[in-house]
Amino acid sequence: MRQSSLLLPTLREVPSEAEIASHKLMLRAGLIKQLVSGVYSYLPLGYRVVRKVTQIVREEMDRSEAQEISMPAIQPAELWQETGRWEAYGPELMRLKDRHDRSFVLGPTHEEVVTSIARDGINSYKKLPINLYQIQTKYRDEVRPRFGVIRAREFIMKDAYSFDVDRDGLDRSYQAMYDAYTRIFTRCGMDFRAVEADAGAIGGKGTHEFMALSDIGEDTIAYCNSCNYAANLEKADVVYQGQASGETSETLEKVHTPAIKTIAQLTEFLGLPAEKTIKSLLFKVDQQYVLALIRGDHELNDIKLKNMFDANVIDMATEQEVMEVLGSPVGFVGPIGLQEKPVAIVADQAVKDMVNAVVGAGVADYHYKNITPGRDFEVSQYGDLRNIQEGDPCPQCGGEIRFARGIEVGHVFKLGTRYSEKMKATFLDENGKEKPMIMGCYGIGISRTVAAVVEQNHDENGIIWPLSIAPFHIHLIAVNPKNEDQLKLAESLYEQISQAGYEVLYDDRPERAGVKFKDADLIGLPLRITIGAKASDGLVECKIRKSGEMQEIAADQVLDYMKETLSKL
Ligand code: 9G3
């Protein structure tokens, strides 16, 4: 491709809302162009990368014997009403009406559509298992799109759905997708981890997220420094290290703590460590109020609290609700004297061993000292309700837990019969008995994968594409196309390299050399071949973008050098 004809609007400056490297670089290198907030066009260079990622995904999905289909983005509301999701989702679900005033959604995902295809197309165990997948645009009206295509309102996803006769079959389908994802992200040159994740509203047991490691990742990964344990912080189990404190319970004492509201103020004021205090946090879990107690030096994990009640919705109570339900101002909430109140009291397992702790007294400006759970108040349920912390023991091997941040680029779920039951997608088993199909669903963010690879592969000058998904393999630069020797050698090399089957971007623009080199570093193709003043001696300069390594090569050695060098990238 001649760069003089390529639509490649590189930018020197980027809009201020571009905060992270990949967003800035994808705009500056002319890969994407924002239409409106959270909605992007992929320009030629960017779309070549999307196509490469898509091709890798397609190859590995086909290798796992999944069957590619294409489902509509426009989905009738009736389908979403069958599964109850029409009502369950709020403004994030993009809805529209057609000319007959009928309601539709723009598909954020395709469980309903694919289950309706399975329901109508499969009725015998002989046709199972089957895995249907598509690579298609999804629509989710994110409240705050950010980070470029990483959190966009329209994005490209590969979504796959497996259908099996039983749980063992689902486990096999799930493993096949898990292995395919491992191959896909490896081939994309990504540094990733598969982490245990919370099944969320989807329900079902067992789900993993594939995380691209990155400091700008929105998710926190808890991993073990000794074994292969890795889990999303939402999910990571805390090992209960119950040990009696050995202290004797002192007499309860009400202390005046004027305007002392936070744990920090409390520990300072009373000269006590945070692990001698208890936080009392009021939540609304579905329709009931729950007071969650947690040690002062721990963080409450609201996903674990939601799962303790198998609830759909969980929200922190407002200050007003705290006053209404508990009759206590925020900052002085405590578990004492709530027997008559409409609230369930639960606690993290670490609270069980506490003796002579400090809690809010339930009235402004007072706390209780020498609280002992079980003596001074009842807890209806103890459980693992806190976030794991760095240094905690690994739940798998007892090693030490460390944190990393990640960008979720893939997610594999065991759905079970959540959709097939609601939509009556059944099959007849070998005894002619009607059963719901057992489903799994599997997503990869194609556009998000491109951005994650850029996050992991760039320097101060620009992008450094892994060879496998680079928009072109070679950047061929004629320093001065007006010079006869340079032009002749450049044109002949362009011809030869293209003939040899490499993808070449040939910078034939009448620009200054400095501009060409800056653009080449920004665009980040793996190998740059420069035709300059030494063309008359038949010499060219080769630069490997990743290492910066430069070498002078005789023009007639270029093809051999390329074969050798590219195979090692
Ligand atoms: C919605 C909206 C947003 C959503 C969903 C539904 C996420 C929704 C979860 C999934 C699960 C899997 C198949 C591919 C892999 C992920 N955001 N999810 O269901 F209506 Cl507005 O999409 N789907």
Side-chain angles (χ1 to χ4, degrees):
M1 163 67 79
R2 292 176 185 275
Q3 203 161 328
S4 54
S5 57
L6 177 67
L7 173 63
L8 180 56
T10 55
L11 307 173
R12 282 280 161 267
E13 299 307 318
V14 285
S16 59
E17 78 263 12
E19 304 160 74
I20 60 171
S22 60
H23 187 188
K24 290 176 182 161
L25 288 171
M26 289 175 77
L27 289 170
R28 282 191 51 215
L31 299 173
I32 56 173
K33 178 176 175 47
Q34 178 174 304
L35 184 60
V36 291
S37 164
V39 179
Y40 290 86
S41 299
Y42 295 86
L43 303 181
L45 219 51
Y47 201 63
R48 285 179 74 96
V49 179
V50 166
R51 284 184 1 189
K52 296 256 175 115
V53 172
T54 301
Q55 186 51 27
I56 289 172
V57 168
R58 190 167 274 131
E59 281 168 10
E60 294 303 337
M61 289 301 292
D62 292 350
R63 186 187 306 189
S64 67
E65 300 194 353
Q67 299 173 41
E68 185 167 9
I69 59 173
S70 173
M71 291 183 269
I74 297 177
Q75 305 175 16
E78 289 73 16
L79 267 189
W80 285 68
Q81 285 154 357
E82 277 191 59
T83 58
R85 297 213 290 177
W86 174 259
E87 296 75 17
Y89 280 89
E92 191 188 354
L93 180 56
M94 297 190 93
R95 304 161 199 254
L96 71 154
K97 286 197 186 280
D98 70 3
R99 60 191 305 163
H100 310 294
D101 204 32
R102 288 192 206 106
S103 287
F104 293 82
V105 304
L106 274 184
T109 182
H110 283 71
E111 280 82 2
E112 281 79 2
V113 177
V114 81
T115 306
S116 71
I117 292 172
R119 165 172 72 186
D120 299 342
I122 300 167
N123 52 24
S124 159
Y125 70 99
K126 290 178 187 143
K127 296 295 288 178
L128 295 174
I130 192 168
N131 180 327
L132 301 173
Y133 81 95
Q134 66 172 351
I135 298 171
Q136 211 247 42
T137 305
K138 294 285 185 288
Y139 303 87
R140 294 178 186 177
D141 202 354
E142 294 286 346
V143 64
R144 189 169 159 254
R146 62 190 299 225
F147 292 176
V149 298
I150 284 183
R151 182 170 291 284
R153 294 195 286 170
E154 174 179 317
F155 55 96
I156 302 164
M157 181 198 274
K158 184 286 298 172
D159 45 322
Y161 305 85
S162 63
F163 299 86
D164 279 278
V165 297
D166 55 24
R167 296 291 310 195
D168 286 349
L170 169 57
D171 291 347
R172 285 190 293 276
S173 297
Y174 186 90
Q175 192 58 49
M177 287 290 97
Y178 187 100
D179 297 343
Y181 279 38
T182 303
R183 292 194 300 269
I184 287 165
F185 293 119
T186 303
R187 287 184 60 188
C188 290
M190 182 187 284
D191 181 11
F192 68 96
R193 295 287 182 288
V195 307
E196 292 176 32
D198 177 61
I202 280 271
K205 281 281 155 273
T207 169
H208 287 82
E209 285 165 345
F210 283 75
M211 294 286 193
L213 297 187
S214 161
D215 291 341
I216 61 96
E218 292 181 327
D219 291 85
T220 300
I221 302 161
Y223 69 95
C224 174
N225 65 353
S226 312
C227 75
N228 67 353
Y229 178 78
N232 191 309
L233 183 64
E234 289 175 353
K235 168 84 174 60
D237 298 329
V238 174
V239 175
Y240 178 46
Q241 300 161 292
Q243 72 277 343
S245 75
E247 281 181 59
T248 51
S249 301
E250 309 281 336
T251 314
L252 198 58
E253 186 190 334
K254 196 169 182 177
V255 290
H256 187 217
T257 51
I260 300 291
K261 294 187 175 193
T262 66
I263 294 294
Q265 290 166 333
L266 193 60
T267 52
E268 170 80 24
F269 185 77
L270 296 176
L272 283 171
E275 50 268 29
K276 290 296 282 178
T277 66
I278 293 176
K279 284 185 276 199
S280 308
L281 305 167
L282 186 65
F283 284 87
K284 194 164 185 198
V285 182
D286 277 351
Q287 297 315 315
Q288 72 170 110
Y289 285 104
V290 172
L291 188 66
L293 308 182
I294 188 142
R295 215 172 73 184
D297 58 319
H298 290 157
E299 288 302 316
L300 186 89
N301 178 318
D302 58 354
I303 303 286
K304 291 182 179 177
L305 180 62
K306 180 162 75 93
N307 291 343
M308 176 185 259
F309 290 85
D310 201 17
N312 282 316
V313 182
I314 180 168
D315 290 304
M316 193 90 180
T318 62
E319 282 203 35
Q320 194 194 345
E321 284 175 303
V322 171
M323 185 50 87
E324 275 165 15
V325 173
L326 303 177
S328 152
V330 167
F332 297 94
V333 172
I336 304 278
L338 300 183
Q339 291 80 345
E340 311 308 315
K341 308 281 185 190
V343 63
I345 301 178
V346 299
D348 177 67
Q349 53 204 357
V351 170
K352 195 186 307 186
D353 305 313
M354 296 178 77
V355 173
N356 302 329
V358 177
V359 287
V363 291
D365 298 337
Y366 280 87
H367 280 80
Y368 278 118
K369 271 178 75 173
N370 301 332
I371 273 272
T372 299
R375 182 193 74 180
D376 303 314
F377 61 91
E378 285 308 312
V379 169
S380 61
Q381 193 177 350
Y382 283 101
D384 170 11
L385 292 180
R386 74 173 174 89
N387 280 335
I388 202 165
Q389 291 173 331
E390 289 201 283
D392 278 349
C394 164
Q396 190 166 273
C397 80
E400 270 210 12
I401 288 293
R402 291 271 173 279
F403 281 179
R405 301 192 68 76
I407 301 168
E408 179 192 334
V409 288
H411 204 153
V412 289
F413 288 85
K414 289 182 181 173
L415 285 175
T417 57
R418 191 182 185 293
Y419 290 92
S420 51
E421 239 155 35
K422 287 199 172 120
M423 296 183 67
K424 303 203 178 1
T426 59
F427 68 96
L428 293 178
D429 71 6
E430 60 277 15
N431 307 317
K433 191 162 174 299
E434 190 176 18
K435 291 181 177 173
M437 297 180 206
I438 312 293
M439 293 175 62
C441 65
Y442 317 91
I444 288 182
I446 300 282
S447 30
R448 188 179 271 189
T449 294
V450 172
V453 169
V454 175
E455 271 307 316
Q456 293 185 342
N457 295 279
H458 69 271
D459 61 16
E460 64 283 356
N461 300 317
I463 301 170
I464 302 172
W465 288 112
L467 181 64
S468 58
I469 61 168
F472 292 90
H473 304 132
I474 307 291
H475 209 150
L476 184 65
I477 294 182
V479 171
N480 175 10
K482 290 193 181 53
N483 171 295
E484 192 51 39
D485 290 342
Q486 291 188 34
L487 184 64
K488 212 153 61 59
L489 181 52
E491 291 290 334
S492 90
L493 275 177
Y494 178 48
E495 199 49 44
Q496 277 178 55
I497 298 172
S498 302
Q499 290 305 323
Y502 294 98
E503 298 165 21
V504 196
L505 179 59
Y506 171 24
D507 191 348
D508 59 345
R509 299 172 298 163
E511 294 278 354
R512 283 182 298 102
V515 168
K516 294 188 175 186
F517 293 143
K518 248 180 151 10
D519 282 353
D521 281 345
L522 174 62
I523 291 161
L525 300 182
L527 187 60
R528 187 179 92 199
I529 297 174
T530 303
I531 321 292
K534 296 201 174 175
S536 48
D537 309 332
L539 290 174
V540 301
E541 179 196 82
C542 298
K543 177 184 173 185
I544 298 170
R545 176 67 179 89
K546 187 169 176 61
S547 63
E549 184 192 327
M550 308 265 262
Q551 217 172 342
E552 255 184 13
I553 306 277
D556 56 11
Q557 299 299 314
V558 164
L559 280 183
D560 293 344
Y561 169 82
M562 274 169 40
K563 279 191 189 75
E564 167 66 22
T565 308
L566 291 179
S567 63
K568 279 187 296 201
L569 280 185

